[in-house]
Amino acid sequence: MSAEAVGIESVGFYVPRYFVDMRRLAAARGADPDKYVHGLGQHKMCVAPPDEDVVTMGASAAHLALRDVDESEIDSVFFATESGVDQSKAAAIYVHRLLGLPSACKTVEFKQACASSTVALLAARALVASGMDRKVLVVAADVARYELGSPGEPTQGAGAVALVVSRQPRIMSLEEGHGAHTEDVMDFWRPNYRREALVDGKYSIKVYIRSLCEAWKRYHAATGRAFADHQRFCYHLPFTRMAEKAHAHLVVTATGKHAAREEMGRHIDAGLVYNREIGNTYTASLYIALCSLLENEELPASGRIGMFAYGSGCLGIFFSGLLTAGYREFLHREEHLRQLRERTELSVAEYERMYHFRLPEDGRRFEVPVHRTGPFRLAGVENHQRIYEGTRPRVRPDTQSQHPVAAETTC
Ligand code: HMG
């Protein structure tokens, strides 16, 4: 690793403790199960219970990512989401308190559909490289929600990922140079008054692919790196078959030739394993795919990973990273597998009940029923404020208190 290297020191994800099996969902919707399982490439989708939101999921992912990291060096917390819980206050501030991070931190929320996590990651890299910050915690969390019974429904999911960016990139250094593509399109959007996204599904796939090809060309022009310089490729995964479609187009754009299915599989398959079990997690999806790649295949040090982020609306970004020698030692593979294994299956009726749950919007006090969660949960609301709590003794006691800042100001 070069003395200048900046990149991912640690990465951990968190998924809700509940899932729906895609074959059961297909049966309930009168669809052929093979369409969901093979056509879309999804086996299960995670469902967030009423006491989970992007804050609890993001804090739980960060709790894992920070396990062997010196938290006193975290100078910024960047939170990427398109399922935010407040129009003004950044979810990063709740996470910052739940984790007991230093008050000298900067905290902010980023938004541009699924791509904002990558803008946050590249900004974190630049801050650390410039010497302004020592470490940046990047958190990405989302709940993917479409209308029940709509074509988008089987591409839902929920989850969060957290990455620590520093000058000790024990997992992957982030390379200089990227390619971006922005275009004003209405392929997927969610007006402020809606809980479910609106989407022009087939069009969104076309725009995803166009953005990939444009971003790749700019990345190639900026860095001189050719397709063959990349050992593996990771994609934003709204559903896993999207990566197959996208990669086939990238191969042709970048090499002028078609690749055999087997060769394409070598490039992308290990990165698809987790998302197939989780579903779309919007901002978190690309980095859960990265965990999937690194935890399901052993790759040589300095192997280059090409990464494509896509956020509807739209923004595409192609960038790359180099694996660090010994990176496998710092992954949280066992914890990730445990989370996936220990989920509770919901019937379609139970999932629909969770889907329809709504917090009161009139400011009255309301306690959210307890479900299975990670180390943090949404305990309730009062006076239009969300009340979060830790669920385990190892969580610092001050995270249990909801209004610790009510003390008089002394300067
Ligand atoms: P649809 O119309 O229900 O499905 O919508 P379809 O008819 O296109 O079928 C899907 C695939 O299943 C096809 O495969 C069928 O042939 C196959 P393909 O031809 O494309 O290879 N199929 C079958 N296979 C086996 N056995 C069968 C069978 N029947 C059909 N019996 C769509 C699919 C993805 C459009 C829909 O689910 C949707 O609208 N999803 C939400 C939007 C989305 O995921 N877009 C992806 C790109 S945009 C993006 O990634 C951004 C996003 O993450 C948001 C953000 O940025 O914030 C969404």
Side-chain angles (χ1 to χ4, degrees), residues 8 24 29 70 96 142 284 299 322 367 409:
I8 302 170
R24 280 182 201 267
R29 300 294 177 247
D70 181 356
H96 172 274
D142 269 303
L299 294 164
L322 293 178
E367 286 179 19
T409 311

Side-chain angles (χ1 to χ4, degrees), residues 13 205 268 295:
F13 71 73
I205 294 172
I268 62 171
E295 295 174 14

Side-chain angles (χ1 to χ4, degrees), residues 405 407-411:
V405 287
E408 285 169 42
T409 311
T410 50
C411 295

Side-chain angles (χ1 to χ4, degrees), residues 32 34-35 38-40 82 112-115 146 151-155 187-188 199-202 204-205 208 236-239 241-242 245 280 282 310-312:
D32 182 341
D34 284 350
K35 175 175 172 182
H38 301 297
L40 296 172
E82 55 179 299
Q112 179 8 62
C114 307
Y146 299 90
E153 186 187 24
T155 64
D187 62 331
F188 165 107
V199 63
D200 186 343
K202 301 273 193 313
S204 71
I205 294 172
Y208 178 119
H236 164 58
L237 296 174
F239 53 96
R241 290 261 349 272
M242 185 69 233
K245 291 174 194 285
N280 196 353
Y282 293 161
Y310 177 73
S312 283

